[in-house]
Amino acid sequence: GVKLLSEEFSGLKQAESDLCKAACRRLMDWMKTFDVECRCYRELYSSPSDLDLWRSFRNTEVVPALKLALRPTHPRYLTIEPKVRTVKATDAEIQQRWGSEDAEGTETLRVLCVLENGLVQHNMIYLRNSSSWWLLASVDFAWHGEAGPGHWHLNRTPHGEQIEHWGPRNNVYHGEAWNCPLWWLVIPKGHSYAHRPLRLDLLPVAAFGSIDDDDTT
């Protein structure tokens, strides 16, 4: 709290110390304001594009899938280095591999890590829909304009049709790396990101490595 932080101000002039203490009190007040328990990441969305997303998908068949995918879980991770590196072509290739699997399997969610030259470029988020695997979203480990590594796209329209990048009013929607479940950003051990999301560098090194472990950032 403020008392602990104030111990770091020893040696400062009184006026400087008072200013620092006041700033710390304001900081702690802000942190308490935003320290709200959320049941899922959907409750964190507040930007205009976030609100457009939920308005557009309200009462559609995609909402239950989104709610499922936005909760903590432990999915299975698989990798692919596709012949053609587009969302549509990669999905078609993996559907051929997965199409013969037992439809009664217990898995409900999967993450497909898409490689290029051995580096993970994307994570594609799948869930089981009836007897098939349904591509819901994809995470990009690259910069797209102002959207940094770890931003994500929806790959479904409100009608459930697959699309490269969905967006309201002809604008591509970019979900932030901070507002998606952590498992969306995870890649298998032994692999490296094309560009590592900053969010991971704020987490325990023992579990998520560090920027020094990734030669590509």
Side-chain angles (χ1 to χ4, degrees):
V2 174
K3 183 177 180 181
L4 181 62
L5 290 172
S6 297
E7 294 176 2
E8 301 297 322
F9 305 146
S10 59
L12 294 178
K13 294 179 180 179
Q14 186 63 45
E16 295 174 335
S17 179
D18 290 344
L19 285 173
C20 290
K21 290 178 181 178
C24 285
R25 291 191 188 96
R26 289 197 297 272
L27 175 61
M28 296 303 295
D29 289 341
W30 289 334
M31 292 176 69
K32 289 177 182 177
T33 299
F34 290 102
D35 184 21
V36 179
E37 182 178 355
C38 295
R39 291 169 295 176
C40 68
Y41 280 89
R42 181 170 61 92
E43 296 178 9
L44 296 175
Y45 299 155
S46 58
S47 72
S49 61
D50 292 336
L51 298 178
D52 279 343
L53 182 154
W54 292 105
R55 290 191 192 101
S56 299
F57 284 84
R58 182 182 298 148
N59 299 325
T60 70
E61 64 174 314
V62 182
V63 169
L66 279 169
K67 289 181 177 181
L68 177 64
L70 288 170
R71 292 185 179 275
T73 190
H74 298 282
R76 183 182 177 190
Y77 291 83
L78 302 101
T79 61
I80 184 175
E81 188 144 5
K83 299 173 183 176
V84 180
R85 294 182 181 87
T86 64
V87 169
K88 183 177 180 179
T90 302
D91 178 66
E93 185 175 339
I94 203 64
Q95 293 292 353
Q96 290 183 339
R97 298 189 193 180
W98 293 351
S100 59
E101 292 184 356
D102 182 6
E104 300 300 322
T106 57
E107 287 182 90
T108 56
L109 291 159
R110 281 183 180 178
V111 178
L112 182 67
C113 305
V114 182
L115 307 176
E116 182 177 353
N117 299 322
L119 302 175
V120 180
Q121 303 287 335
H122 315 282
N123 273 356
M124 298 171 68
I125 312 301
Y126 283 86
L127 72 156
R128 186 178 286 280
N129 182 25
S130 185
S131 61
S132 63
W133 285 98
W134 211 54
L135 174 62
L136 178 65
S138 54
V139 182
D140 286 350
F141 300 117
W143 283 92
H144 287 173
E146 296 182 357
H151 71 272
W152 52 278
H153 305 274
L154 281 179
N155 297 117
R156 294 286 163 181
T157 69
H159 300 292
E161 300 166 341
Q162 186 171 312
I163 191 172
E164 193 85 6
H165 299 125
W166 174 85
R169 297 188 293 275
N170 298 317
N171 295 315
V172 174
Y173 174 77
H174 288 124
E176 295 186 6
W178 306 94
N179 287 355
C180 71
L182 192 57
W183 61 267
W184 284 30
L185 305 177
V186 171
I187 61 176
K189 186 176 181 179
H191 290 80
S192 296
Y193 298 92
H195 296 279
R196 179 184 171 91
L198 174 62
R199 179 181 173 187
L200 301 184
D201 295 326
L202 305 179
L203 298 172
V205 172
F208 296 96
S210 70
I211 193 169
D212 294 330
D213 298 329
D214 194 338
D215 296 333
T216 65
T217 54

